[in-house]
């Protein structure tokens, strides 16, 4: 009777609240005080319990809908009417945890009623939970509900059934918000299984959210959320069919060349993690049944990833392919790639080891690497123990055999010297003879090591044979396992190019588009041009060699290197130098100055490279499958444009570069698009603002529209960042021109 009285009292309070919305302020304050007392005395749980009893007896649906709206939206109504001067109990961070406690109390009464054999309904509570979650208050209410329900469902089957019904009765329009909240806040896959039951089997909306939306359409969740989702699917026989289906769809997306080209790297990493977690949950019988499908997907996916220009994407493909191969070929040979081991790699590999359910916790982004390292360390230790035990007996036998030799004293070889010494050539022509025809390996090694310094010390002799020497170095292959051969050869090529720049640059740029060159050689040409241009554009310091500034090349030699990283650092430094700051700070040391030797010859480096990019050869197609070399070419042109600042031909170069960018602006490879946006940055920084306004006004307006489109639609985060940076540069140039008096 008391409960029923409180129910009708709250209905009248709600009516009074609506009635006095348009009344004087003192009436509103009275209504708010009544509601505040109602909440503080815990009558909210009594209200919801009364509705649950009425639903079991077919109560009024209109009244229930009205009460649902009033309960969920009460903080908003009070705040809107009182203009933010509402009491603390109506703050969302206070009200919704209070509502969560009330829901727990109602669920406790439902549990007691079921044990007593009485009928009641949980639908109204489910509607309250769903509407609160869809309004964006999952954190506040589920931070109370999930821990309490986790404890209550540990050993009580009735509480498990109540929890399952609680989420099953949520309407489809609110199901996504509720499921996402539970997935993110459950402390493990076993907990999520207790809380949701077989919801994904019974409810199509929940199945779509768990198996499609959270895995394939979104990618912003932590590794812990992925482990919760896929572990939840693996813990029941009815849900394991969905796990196999999810793995097939993930592999289909992972092996799609279109997805690799157009999806951001973060999403591809997210999908790769999901695949590895799925593989860790598969049983041997399940792997055997889909072995051929896994093999086919692996072959298609690894090809798409290895074709990418981005090192991160290639490495993801290698790791996933290795993991699939390890699962399907337990007894035979497995795939093995060479790549750099880092925290990300170790985390990915650790996902292949299934973690016990009690240890799976949703982690914060900063905790993922630590957990991955700890898991991997434990696995490595467990793998090392059997090997140690296996080799214990042979080691003991060998030690016993060698005991008799322990008394032998080793010879003192500290003073020994190598008898054979090879003297390096002292003339350029002798170096050419050794590199082209000598069979003496030691002499060949000494020559390649001494060639750079010899070229720089003898510029006159070098100019006589510069093109011939450049040709020899371009085709030179390593005869011995000399340490740093690629670096020695590049430094020698740079020395030849800086000593006699025009003829050597003409030769190298002409060979870039010639037949019968490998992609490695074409990339080497670009590397040499960039490093030499950087050296010649730097000021020469008195008393130092010319090559002192070339020790940090802008394009690295590794095949997977991303040359845009140094380029972006250069652009950022240039922007900082053009930014006015009014705060006083520590004075900077004045930098050395000198003539820019690259300015007078920049055209010989730049224009031959930009001319024939759209002409495919039988062994070289920049606009086709050789898009990696196209990306390196685009980044090279951006760097050459930046280094040509203040050159006479800089305006012409900028116009040609803008036309080049415009022709390729819709390229599908993100690495190429990053280079194109870097070209825009270099053009804006190098070409004088007055010339941009006079000669490139229409082109700049079109470029501005394109950059805005990139910021809005490009899937690659680096492309969006570069486009925004370019728009800021254009805005700064516009302001600069407006301040110049006419």
């Amino acid at each position: 009777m008391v409960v029923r009285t409180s129910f009708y009292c709250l209905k009248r309070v709600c009516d009074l609240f609506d009635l006095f919305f348009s009344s004087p302020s003192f009436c509103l304050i009275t209504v708010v005080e009544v509601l505040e007392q109602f909440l503080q005395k815990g009558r909210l749980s009594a209200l919801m319990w009364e509705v649950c009893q009425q639903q079991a007896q077919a109560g009024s649906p209109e009244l229930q809908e009205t009460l649902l709206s009033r309960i969920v939206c009460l903080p908003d109504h009070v705040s809107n009417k009182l203009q933010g001067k509402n009491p603390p109990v109506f703050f969302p961070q206070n009200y919704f945890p209070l509502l969560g406690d009330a829901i727990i109390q109602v669920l406790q009464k439902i549990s007691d009623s079921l044990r007593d054999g009485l009928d009641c309904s949980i639908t109204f509570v489910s509607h309250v939970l769903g509407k609160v979650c869809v309004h964006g208050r999952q954190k506040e209410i589920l931070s109370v509900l999930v821990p309490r329900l986790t404890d209550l469902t540990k050993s009580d089957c009735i509480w498990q059934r109540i929890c399952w019904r609680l989420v099953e009765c949520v309407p489809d329009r609110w199901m996504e918000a509720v499921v996402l909240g539970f997935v993110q806040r459950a402390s493990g896959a076993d907990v999520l299984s207790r809380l949701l039951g077989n919801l994904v089997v019974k409810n199509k909306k929940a199945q779509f959210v768990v198996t499609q939306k959270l895995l394939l359409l979104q990618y912003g969740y932590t590794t812990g959320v992925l482990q919760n989702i896929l572990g939840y699917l693996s813990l029941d026989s009815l849900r394991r069919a969905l796990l196999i289906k999810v793995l097939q769809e993930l592999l289909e997306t992972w092996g799609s060349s279109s997805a690799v080209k157009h999806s951001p790297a973060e999403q591809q990493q997210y999908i790769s993690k999901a695949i590895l977690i799925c593989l860790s949950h598969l049983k041997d019988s399940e792997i055997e049944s889909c072995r051929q499908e896994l093999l086919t997907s692996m072959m298609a996916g690894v090809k798409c990833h290895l074709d990418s220009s981005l090192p991160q994407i290639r490495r993801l493909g290698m790791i996933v392919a290795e993991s699939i191969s390890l699962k399907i070929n337990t007894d035979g040979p497995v795939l093995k790639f060479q790549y750099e081991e880092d925290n990300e790699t170790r985390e990915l590999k650790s996902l292949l080891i299934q973690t016990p359910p009690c240890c799976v916790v949703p982690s914060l982004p900063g905790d993922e690497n630590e957990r991955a390292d700890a898991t991997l360390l434990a696995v490595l230790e467990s793998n090392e123990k059997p090997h140690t035990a296996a080799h214990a007996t042979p080691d003991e036998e060998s030690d016993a055999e060698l005991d008799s030799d322990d008394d032998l004293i080793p010879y003192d070889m500290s003073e020994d010297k190598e008898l054979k010494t090879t003297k390096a050539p002292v003339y350029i022509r002798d170096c050419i003879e050794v590199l082209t025809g000598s069979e003496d390996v030691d002499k060949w090694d000494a020559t390649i090591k001494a060639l750079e310094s010899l070229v720089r010390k003898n510029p006159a002799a070098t100019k006589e044979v510069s093109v011939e020497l450049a040709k020899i170095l371009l085709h030179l292959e390593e005869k011995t396992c000399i340490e740093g051969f690629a670096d020695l050869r590049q430094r020698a090529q740079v020395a030849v190019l800086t000593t006699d720049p025009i003829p050597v640059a003409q030769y190298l740029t002409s060979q870039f588009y010639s037949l019968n060159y490998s992609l490695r050689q074409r990339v080497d040409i670009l590397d040499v041009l960039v490093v030499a241009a950087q050296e010649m554009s730097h000021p020469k310091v008195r008393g130092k060699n010319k090559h002192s500034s070339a020790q940090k090349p802008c394009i690295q030699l590794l095949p997977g290197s991303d040359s845009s990283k140094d380029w972006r650092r250069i652009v950022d430094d240039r922007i900082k130098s053009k930014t006015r700051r009014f705060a006083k700070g520590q004075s900077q040391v004045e930098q050395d100055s000198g003539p820019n030797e690259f300015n007078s010859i920049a055209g010989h480096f730049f224009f031959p490279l930009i001319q024939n990019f759209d002409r495919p050869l039988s062994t070289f197609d920049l606009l086709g499958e050789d898009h990696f070399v196209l990306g390196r070419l685009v980044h090279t042109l951006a760097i050459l444009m930046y280094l040509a600042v203040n050159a006479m031909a800089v305006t012409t170069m900028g116009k040609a570069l803008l036309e080049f960018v415009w022709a390729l602006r819709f390229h599908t490879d993100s690495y190429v698009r990053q280079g194109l946006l870097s070209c825009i940055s270099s053009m804006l920084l190098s070409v004088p603002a007055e010339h941009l306004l006079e000669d490139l006004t229409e082109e700049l307006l079109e470029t501005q529209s394109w950059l805005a489109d990139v910021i809005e639609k490009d899937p690659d985060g680096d492309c969006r960042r570069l486009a925004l940076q370019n728009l800021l540069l254009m805005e700064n140039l516009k302001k600069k021109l407006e301040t110049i008096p006419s």
Side-chain angles (χ1 to χ4, degrees), residues 98-115:
L98 186 67
L99 181 58
D101 288 330
I103 289 177
I104 292 294
Q105 295 174 19
V106 174
L107 294 180
Q108 182 65 58
K109 293 179 180 179
I110 292 175
S111 173
D112 296 339
S113 297
L114 293 177
R115 297 176 197 275

Side-chain angles (χ1 to χ4, degrees), residues 448-600:
I448 193 64
K449 290 179 180 179
L451 184 57
E452 180 197 6
S453 60
L454 195 60
V455 167
R456 296 186 185 277
K457 292 177 182 177
N458 301 276
T462 301
K463 289 181 180 180
E464 296 177 1
V465 292
S466 58
V467 176
E468 181 183 359
L469 186 55
K471 181 178 180 180
I472 292 171
L473 291 171
L474 181 60
H475 294 83
L476 188 65
E477 296 182 357
E478 186 177 5
K479 288 186 177 181
T480 62
C481 296
I482 181 173
E483 184 178 358
F485 167 76
D487 185 49
L488 291 172
R489 184 182 65 169
Q490 188 197 57
R491 285 161 56 185
Q493 289 176 294
V494 171
V496 174
L497 181 53
T498 55
T499 302
D500 196 13
I502 294 180
V504 177
Q506 290 174 346
Y507 168 75
L508 291 176
T509 53
S510 65
Q511 298 306 298
F512 181 76
Y513 289 107
S514 298
L515 292 170
N516 302 325
Y517 280 95
S518 66
L519 298 183
R520 177 72 267 175
Q521 288 174 307
R522 299 183 198 275
V523 172
D524 286 343
I525 292 174
L526 298 177
D527 291 343
V528 171
L529 291 172
V530 166
V531 178
Q534 186 183 26
E535 178 181 329
M536 288 187 289
S537 65
H538 284 180
K540 303 302 181 290
V541 182
R542 188 174 302 174
K544 293 187 179 181
N545 293 332
K546 283 188 174 182
H547 62 284
S548 61
S549 62
Q551 299 304 317
K552 296 181 180 178
C554 203
I555 290 188
Q556 302 175 11
L557 287 169
L558 294 175
S561 66
D562 187 354
S563 61
S564 62
K565 293 181 180 178
D566 277 346
W567 159 244
R568 291 171 191 161
R569 177 183 55 79
I570 293 173
V571 171
D572 292 339
D573 292 342
R574 184 74 179 274
I575 293 173
K576 290 179 181 178
S577 67
K578 288 179 172 290
T579 303
R580 297 180 63 190
R581 291 181 173 84
F582 298 97
K584 293 183 179 180
Q586 184 179 1
S587 60
Q588 297 181 354
V589 179
E590 183 178 355
Q591 297 182 352
D592 298 306
S593 61
N596 187 340
E597 297 179 2
F598 181 65
N599 281 349
S600 59

Side-chain angles (χ1 to χ4, degrees), residues 93-165:
Q93 62 269 28
N94 297 329
Y95 176 78
F96 289 105
L98 186 67
L99 181 58
D101 288 330
I103 289 177
I104 292 294
Q105 295 174 19
V106 174
L107 294 180
Q108 182 65 58
K109 293 179 180 179
I110 292 175
S111 173
D112 296 339
S113 297
L114 293 177
R115 297 176 197 275
D116 294 337
L118 301 178
D119 291 336
C120 57
S121 174
I122 201 172
T123 304
F124 183 75
V125 181
S126 299
H127 287 192
V128 171
L129 175 62
K131 194 160 187 176
V132 169
C133 289
V134 85
H135 281 196
R137 297 299 175 180
Q138 301 148 300
K139 179 180 178 181
E140 289 85 352
I141 194 167
L142 292 181
S143 62
V144 174
L145 285 179
V146 172
R148 295 288 302 278
L149 291 175
T150 300
D151 293 335
L152 291 169
T153 56
K154 279 183 179 179
S155 57
D156 194 326
C157 60
I158 292 181
W159 267 105
Q160 289 184 11
R161 294 292 300 274
I162 290 174
C163 192
W164 297 349
R165 288 295 297 170

Side-chain angles (χ1 to χ4, degrees), residues 240-389:
R240 291 197 69 87
L242 293 176
L243 180 68
I244 304 295
K245 180 182 177 182
V246 163
L247 177 59
Q248 293 172 345
E249 293 175 347
L250 288 170
L251 286 173
E252 182 180 354
T253 303
W254 178 77
S256 169
S257 59
S258 177
V260 172
K261 288 181 180 179
H262 298 97
S263 300
E266 295 81 6
Q267 184 172 14
Q268 297 184 50
Q269 183 185 37
Y270 186 82
I271 290 176
S272 299
K273 288 181 179 180
I275 291 173
L276 295 176
I277 296 172
C278 281
L279 291 174
S280 72
H281 288 292
L282 288 185
K283 299 178 181 178
D284 293 340
S285 58
E286 294 169 336
I287 294 175
E288 187 65 31
S289 64
C290 59
R291 183 185 302 273
Q292 190 59 41
E293 295 180 16
L294 289 174
L295 180 61
T296 304
S297 301
M298 180 190 71
M299 298 302 294
V302 74
K303 179 182 182 302
C304 297
H305 283 76
L306 292 180
D307 286 342
S308 174
S309 301
L310 299 177
Q312 181 186 6
I313 303 303
R314 293 198 296 272
R315 186 172 57 179
L316 283 175
M318 296 176 194
I319 294 172
V320 175
E322 283 182 355
S323 303
I324 297 175
S325 175
L326 184 64
K327 283 290 184 180
I328 63 178
N329 298 320
T330 53
D331 300 328
V334 297
L335 283 178
K336 189 64 180 176
F337 296 94
Q338 293 182 351
Y339 47 81
E340 182 182 357
E341 292 277 350
D342 57 9
N343 290 337
E344 178 183 328
T345 303
R346 287 189 288 270
E347 181 197 357
L348 288 170
K349 289 185 175 181
S350 71
L351 297 177
L352 200 60
I353 297 98
Q354 185 174 349
T355 310
C358 60
C359 298
V360 180
V361 292
S363 62
L364 297 175
D367 298 333
E368 292 181 12
N369 290 337
E370 296 179 3
R371 190 182 68 255
D373 292 343
T375 305
L376 183 63
L377 182 60
V379 173
L380 292 177
E381 289 177 353
S382 63
N383 290 339
E384 287 175 1
K385 290 180 181 178
H387 292 294
T388 304

